[in-house]
Amino acid sequence: MAALTRLCASFSPPARLVRRGMSRFVRGEVREARQDFDAAMAMDASLRPRLWQRGLALYYLEEFEEGAKQFRDDVDANPSDTEEAIWTYLCESRLVGNKEARRNFLQVGEDPRRVMRAAQGLFKTGNGIEALREAGEKEAQGHDDFYAKLYEGLFYESEGDASKAKEAMLASLETNYAQRSGDYMAGLARVHAKLRGWIDE
């Protein structure tokens, strides 16, 4: 991710395409974002294992097989990436079901963030929602609170519980962190809610 951050700070044509794709994604222009990420990758093939943003776009375009491959490539390049392991699961669970996707859950290094360790455990085992909530409560309205609610919403969606998914995702958007941080994943939460018809903006 650090290498991609350096790229995005540059003014090369691939960097401009990645930045434009990211801007398009958070505006809800998911297909156009994917096109920008693909174009950047066509210019510089070495970007592929670092373009996790492309994997997110593929998930929302319901291109789950290619999305899973994108995230698996990312984990191959960065074997400590907890979030990409979770997103791999989210894609693969749509293809083969939760049970099989859990059997193939990617092994990654220990995340230093308690909230992401709890999220990983939840998706990997199907148990631990209280541990995730407790991790979020350690930083009410902050980073951990937002991420706990985001991943709770994604978990419930993967389990087929649309009501609980909506409740958690909308709660994530109400945190101070989501509203003020500018975090790309806060933008993702808004895109998720919009695509599911939970918000209008």
Side-chain angles (χ1 to χ4, degrees):
M1 190 176 291
L4 185 59
T5 300
R6 288 194 296 273
L7 170 75
C8 289
S10 77
F11 295 97
S12 68
R16 290 198 296 270
L17 283 166
V18 171
R19 287 197 298 271
R20 188 173 74 177
M22 293 173 70
S23 294
R24 283 176 158 174
F25 180 86
V26 298
R27 292 198 303 266
E29 300 167 9
V30 181
R31 191 169 302 279
E32 293 81 358
R34 186 265 175 93
Q35 291 169 353
D36 281 343
F37 298 142
D38 283 355
M41 198 168 64
M43 287 183 180
D44 183 354
S46 69
L47 287 176
R48 181 182 174 91
R50 295 175 280 158
L51 269 179
W52 51 269
Q53 298 96 327
R54 178 175 180 267
L56 297 174
L58 290 165
Y59 177 82
Y60 287 103
L61 292 171
E62 298 189 359
E63 297 185 34
F64 301 118
E65 185 172 358
E66 181 62 20
K69 187 176 189 308
Q70 176 67 62
F71 290 123
R72 282 186 173 272
D73 287 348
D74 188 285
V75 172
D76 283 344
N78 180 11
S80 296
D81 203 323
T82 302
E83 288 189 80
E84 269 56 86
I86 291 172
W87 282 96
T88 302
Y89 168 83
L90 286 168
C91 287
E92 293 182 347
S93 67
R94 299 290 290 270
L95 296 169
V96 300
N98 293 346
K99 185 176 180 180
E100 184 65 21
R102 285 197 175 100
R103 276 201 288 263
N104 296 320
F105 200 96
L106 287 170
Q107 300 299 314
V108 294
E110 184 174 82
D111 197 299
R113 297 168 296 176
R114 179 185 173 190
V115 68
M116 291 314 306
R117 292 197 304 273
Q120 178 188 18
L122 175 62
F123 284 91
K124 188 174 182 178
T125 67
N127 298 299
I129 195 71
E130 290 303 325
L132 178 61
R133 289 171 178 169
E134 288 173 8
E137 289 168 359
K138 296 294 183 182
E139 191 186 6
Q141 294 295 309
H143 171 282
D144 291 357
D145 191 19
F146 164 74
Y147 273 87
K149 291 178 169 66
L150 169 67
Y151 280 104
E152 180 178 344
L154 291 167
F155 172 76
Y156 278 125
E157 182 166 277
S158 73
E159 295 289 307
D161 192 330
S163 178
K164 288 184 178 179
K166 178 180 179 180
E167 181 182 0
M169 192 64 67
L170 293 182
S172 79
L173 289 174
E174 292 172 359
T175 63
N176 290 336
Y177 185 85
Q179 295 173 17
R180 300 178 183 176
S181 69
D183 189 323
Y184 193 72
M185 297 304 284
L188 176 141
R190 284 188 290 274
V191 170
H192 186 107
K194 184 176 179 181
L195 291 175
R196 300 302 185 257
W198 300 337
I199 58 174
D200 295 326
E201 61 186 68

